[in-house]
Amino acid sequence: MIRHVVLLTWSEDATDKQKAALAAELAELPGRIPEIRSYKFGPDAGINPGNHHFGIVADFDNEADYLVYRDHPAHRELILGFITPILESRAAVQFTF
Amino acid sequence: MIRHVVLLTWSEDATDKQKAALAAELAELPGRIPEIRSYKFGPDAGINPGNHHFGIVADFDNEADYLVYRDHPAHRELILGFITPILESRAAVQFTF
């Protein structure tokens, strides 16, 4: 299995409406990209200071399936339409387990 | 459930031996902290440029159990002994799912 992890921070002018629209779109991705084995995401819970604002964790059977997801039009369109407009910074790792 | 995600970058002088020692210590944590429900970690697979170097994803039944982990002596000693000496930067999120 390979796990894709991405942590995001939002720009200061990102609105709650934009963040809610992103979460709604993310929830549709597992139905659009069958290679996804597990898909969990959400806003930071506010427990610790200095955190990023949003996390996404996606699991795949192997690297090839992750690449299908990475390059899938449904994923690219979500990034361009719902993440890029409110994005300040991004941290990511893919690791096998 | 709550998921704790942390992504790390290593300092330039971090050695393979130090990184291997960290991985070995991380593998012991689920046996030392029974509140951990799932614990996955590993070095970045090298698929994408610009990534962080290492990822850790830990799941807990609830926020209280995450806090037990966060503040557990076995975890704090691991951070001080094996992460801090090679750490350049850290990004983290806790989210419910």
Side-chain angles (χ1 to χ4, degrees), chain B residues 5-27:
Chain B
V5 181
V6 58
L7 302 181
L8 307 168
T9 63
W10 303 136
S11 58
E12 282 189 17
D13 59 353
T15 67
D16 288 344
K17 187 176 176 182
Q18 287 174 304
K19 297 173 192 174
L22 168 62
E25 287 294 316
L26 286 170

Side-chain angles (χ1 to χ4, degrees), chain A residues 22-35:
Chain A
L22 168 62
E25 288 293 316
L26 286 170
E28 298 296 328
L29 275 193
R32 295 173 180 162
I33 307 176
E35 285 79 5

